[in-house]
Amino acid sequence: MKIAFAADPLSGFNLKKDSTYAMMREANVRGHELYVFRHADMIVAAGRVLASVSRIVLTGAPGAWFSVEDTALRPLSDFDVVVERTDPPFNMEYVYATYLLELAETQGARVVNRPAAIRNHNEKLAITGFPQFTAPTLVTSDTAHVRAFHAEHRDIILKPLDGMGGTGVFRVREDGMNLGAIIETLTHDGARTIMVQRYIPEIVQGDRRVLLIGGKVVPYCLARVPQAGEVRGNLAAGGTGIAMPVSEREKEIGEALAPALLQRGLLLVGLDVIGQYLTEINVTSPTCFQEITQQTGFDVAAMFIDALEGRMQ
């Protein structure tokens, strides 16, 4: 297959941790051709979606781990599959990219995850479609509603709807210290909508990333345990990743969501689960492939490429 990855610059990849690199490495072993482009490389000309796409070869060298064979402006329909792996923030430029990718689909391109599904599944808001699995949650831009929620639950988490890696996440305890300032900051004085959730004490045991691939639950997850003094388990916020088998509750949540999400065009999904509760549904560029594989021996990238090959048949 000719696989084109829509990704951030390869020069910024951490080869020990990057899940996109793990996908590329596995695809390369199987003899698939690898191509890369960025969102900014896409254009629409004469009604066609094209991109300045580079053919790459993995060298195996620790420094220059890839070489660029050629770069050309090509229709995205030229490739067997386009794999969307651009990191958030999910800003308007990202939204515009999904529109272009969706147009490319009408011209014969096959995109994973499907651009409309990515756009329609805000990674925070998507959990509101599965309230049976979530802790008490409020979505609002109104200070009075946030204060009432805090008065009821006493210990809460506040976060923006477009963040990643734990950015902008605040905990407010029973004393309500700085609640007003946090609301003003996150909502931009009421101009932006945020999410508020009851604090889940089990976060000290880790915010667990449960991967769904091809409608199936990966049997191992990564518990991202917060460092001392932190409420965020995200690896980007200094959390420690510990791989372990999925729990019965995580399996229950994953098996309930996987078929529906796959049907919507989401081949790869990363669920965030704290304790008994679903807290996020990640669909842009879910990670943790390498950490799980390195610690358990289960080849997550192989499972993903298997699913990708299966979708192309």
Side-chain angles (χ1 to χ4, degrees):
M1 290 194 301
K2 295 180 179 179
I3 306 175
F5 289 86
D8 295 306
L10 302 189
S11 58
F13 280 25
N14 181 336
L15 300 192
K16 295 181 179 179
K17 295 184 176 182
D18 197 283
S19 295
T20 305
Y21 172 68
M23 296 174 184
M24 291 178 171
R25 185 177 56 197
E26 179 63 24
N28 181 67
V29 168
R30 300 187 189 199
H32 299 307
E33 295 181 12
L34 305 180
Y35 299 81
V36 296
F37 67 97
R38 299 172 302 154
H39 285 170
D41 294 323
M42 290 190 290
I43 68 168
V44 179
R48 300 287 295 173
V49 181
L50 307 98
S52 180
V53 182
S54 297
R55 168 81 188 278
I56 64 166
V57 173
L58 304 191
T59 65
W65 61 272
F66 69 94
S67 63
V68 176
E69 297 295 295
D70 63 81
T71 301
L73 193 63
R74 302 178 59 172
L76 292 183
S77 55
D78 279 3
F79 304 96
D80 294 294
V81 62
V82 174
V83 180
E84 174 55 71
R85 289 295 300 172
T86 307
D87 285 342
F90 196 83
N91 52 23
M92 283 307 300
E93 283 300 317
Y94 210 125
V95 171
Y96 297 148
T98 67
Y99 287 136
L100 298 190
L101 290 169
E102 191 173 13
L103 178 59
E105 285 183 314
T106 70
Q107 299 167 359
R110 291 195 278 190
V111 185
V112 173
N113 286 326
R114 293 199 66 183
I118 293 175
R119 190 173 62 246
N120 293 339
H121 286 77
N122 175 276
E123 298 186 329
K124 307 293 191 299
L125 287 176
I127 67 167
T128 60
F130 305 95
Q132 69 272 35
F133 298 123
T134 65
T137 298
L138 171 71
V139 178
T140 185
S141 60
D142 186 271
T143 298
H145 288 303
V146 179
R147 289 192 177 278
F149 189 88
H150 176 259
E152 178 182 359
H153 297 289
R154 313 306 300 170
D155 197 351
I156 63 174
I157 295 291
L158 303 92
K159 55 188 175 182
L161 297 179
D162 59 356
M164 69 165 289
T167 57
V169 176
F170 292 88
R171 178 185 181 185
V172 177
R173 302 176 192 245
E174 188 169 2
D175 61 9
M177 183 68 69
N178 290 326
L179 178 58
I182 292 170
I183 296 171
E184 292 168 7
T185 299
L186 290 182
T187 68
H188 290 215
D189 292 320
R192 290 192 178 180
T193 304
I194 64 170
M195 177 170 282
V196 190
Q197 294 173 304
R198 187 184 71 194
Y199 174 72
I200 305 170
E202 289 86 351
I203 183 60
V204 296
Q205 299 162 14
D207 178 355
R208 293 159 72 113
R209 169 59 55 84
V210 179
L211 293 169
L212 310 180
I213 296 177
K216 298 179 180 179
V217 182
V218 174
Y220 296 91
C221 66
L222 192 75
R224 297 161 298 172
V225 181
Q227 62 180 324
E230 263 288 357
V231 71
R232 304 168 298 172
N234 310 75
L235 301 183
T240 301
I242 303 173
M244 58 187 64
V246 297
S247 69
E248 286 302 314
R249 176 61 169 175
E250 291 156 356
K251 185 178 180 181
E252 176 190 3
I253 295 172
E255 290 182 345
L257 271 61
L261 296 177
L262 179 64
Q263 189 173 27
R264 296 174 192 176
L266 297 166
L267 186 74
L268 172 61
V269 176
L271 306 180
D272 287 350
V273 180
I274 302 175
Q276 300 294 303
Y277 301 107
L278 174 69
T279 61
E280 289 189 19
I281 301 176
N282 297 274
V283 300
T284 49
S285 56
T287 60
C288 301
F289 279 38
Q290 295 213 59
E291 293 89 343
I292 291 173
T293 299
Q294 291 161 3
Q295 295 183 40
T296 69
F298 183 87
D299 197 332
V300 183
M303 183 175 176
F304 175 76
I305 298 299
D306 284 344
L308 196 64
E309 292 172 340
R311 294 288 279 187
M312 297 305 109
Q313 293 175 356

